Amino acid sequence: MAQQRSTFPSGGRDAVTRRIMDNSPARRRRSGAARHLLLSVAFLACSSQLLVVNANSWWSLALTPIQRPEMYIIGAQPSCSQLSGLSQGQRKLCQLYQDHISYIGEGARMGIKECQYQFRQRRWNCSTVDNSSVFGRVIQIGSREAAFTYSISAAGVVNAISRACREGELSTCGCSRSARPRDLPRDWLWGGCGDNVHYGYRFAREFVDAREREKNYPRGSTEHARTLMNIQNNEAGRQAAYNLANVACKCHGVSGSCSLKTCWLQLADFRRVGEFLKEKYDSAAAMRIGRKGKLELVDKRFNAPTSEDLVYIDTSPDYCLRNDTTGSLGTQGRMCNKTSEGMDGCELMCCGRGYDQFKTYKHERCHCKFHWCCYVKCKRCTSLVDQFVCK
């Protein structure tokens, strides 16, 4: 059995010119102006590419099929160098813990899926794009939506790593070693193989925050504020997964008498984590960078956020119209509920632009009956229903 590791290595810190010769002064002036124009265009193109590069994220592991070999050859580390989206520190952790990477990708997928569920009836519905940034330019804005995305992704890694430890898939961890809860009845056994939430939390903190710790922006700058925001929201997500884990028990005894119980630590259903963080999203605190280089409340009348709360530094776009600059996909073509007064209602979802109505056939199972023994037989019913789509 591999020896358990108690610590993790920390991540490290992190023109083409063309001469134009011309004997005519007028032509030199025109060619000089043209040269400046071309350089400006080239600079903007490079800046655009830089934004895309900076937008790369470990979230792209969710879109990358990663094999799970049963054994890794010591010193053979080809996969980590080929994975996109990893920072220098994350790449080092990948090399040291190669069997963790597929589960990090699984955690990212869990986060994306839960984000899309929680925002399925909102103007911004956590849509992904087909590149290594996963969520596109919209995450470059330090908004509430970015806060939720960072938190739910970090929670997904805690969940996936903790569960993989329990299932014996990782070489550096095993079943949970959490202490027996004080309020557990004395005649109940504390054992079994629980989810190793403590290990999952610690590894997620090292891996997910590695990118932020490597950034070396000037203290008090806007970029520094965004780094602090990301770290805060990552921690809120990890704590949500950690704190919502609870005790699960199983009865033992003759004919289900439950004369004895065995209990262990178990992760909460991830839907519960998503709902908890969605509540934190609704009550997220607006922050700004202070004189001491730390985040502070914009409105001092509110209580300071705890480590479990989400924070943001930028106002959210309205997400009504497509905007390639902000990354907003708009709500044109989105389904809406004509009778609802909430965010899924046609008035709010369509931003006052109106909606189109059409009819479609809906197929569903109906008239189900249980037959002895032991199956359920249903009929297939078809109905004509109204659908509403934003203009």
Side-chain angles (χ1 to χ4, degrees), residues 328-368:
S328 171
L329 299 179
T331 61
Q332 183 179 2
R334 289 279 301 278
M335 304 286 291
C336 62
N337 187 343
K338 182 181 179 181
T339 60
S340 173
E341 296 181 357
M343 288 301 300
D344 64 326
C346 291
E347 186 62 31
L348 293 177
M349 179 66 73
C350 303
C351 306
R353 299 189 305 268
Y355 52 89
D356 294 321
Q357 178 179 354
F358 65 94
K359 294 185 179 293
T360 184
Y361 288 100
K362 181 179 180 181
H363 306 283
E364 57 187 356
R365 298 173 68 191
C366 61
H367 306 302
C368 296

Side-chain angles (χ1 to χ4, degrees), residues 92 118 146 181-182 203 225 374:
K92 290 181 179 179
Q118 294 296 334
R182 295 181 179 180
F203 184 85
C374 301

Side-chain angles (χ1 to χ4, degrees), residues 169-280:
E169 298 291 342
L170 305 180
S171 61
T172 54
C173 64
C175 298
S176 172
R177 295 182 178 179
S178 298
R180 178 190 178 95
R182 295 181 179 180
D183 57 349
L184 195 70
R186 295 182 61 183
D187 57 341
W188 292 5
L189 297 179
W190 179 248
C193 187
D195 295 315
N196 198 334
V197 185
H198 182 65
Y199 182 94
Y201 169 87
R202 289 189 300 123
F203 184 85
R205 181 181 59 194
E206 292 299 318
F207 182 86
V208 176
D209 285 0
R211 174 181 293 276
E212 309 302 331
R213 291 196 302 268
E214 293 168 22
K215 297 174 181 176
N216 192 23
Y217 295 120
R219 191 176 182 86
S221 64
T222 303
E223 294 82 3
H224 182 229
R226 179 59 193 272
T227 300
L228 296 177
M229 169 190 156
N230 293 345
I231 291 175
Q232 165 75 20
N233 295 320
N234 288 341
E235 178 64 14
R238 290 191 294 266
Q239 291 213 13
Y242 186 92
N243 294 333
L244 289 175
N246 49 29
V247 174
C249 298
K250 182 179 181 181
C251 285
H252 305 279
V254 180
S255 301
S257 61
C258 205
S259 58
L260 180 65
K261 280 189 176 182
T262 300
C263 303
W264 60 90
L265 187 65
Q266 180 172 288
L267 287 162
D269 184 80
F270 201 64
R271 179 55 42 80
R272 186 181 171 198
V273 176
E275 291 170 348
F276 178 84
L277 290 174
K278 180 60 163 52
E279 293 177 1
K280 293 296 183 181

Side-chain angles (χ1 to χ4, degrees), residues 3 68 79 88 90 128 147 187 197 254 271 282 287 295 302 307 316 363:
Q3 185 179 1
R68 297 179 181 176
S79 59
Q88 182 179 357
Q90 290 172 336
T128 57
D187 57 341
V197 185
V254 180
R271 179 55 42 80
D282 292 328
M287 309 294 283
L295 291 181
F302 295 104
S307 58
S316 300
H363 306 283

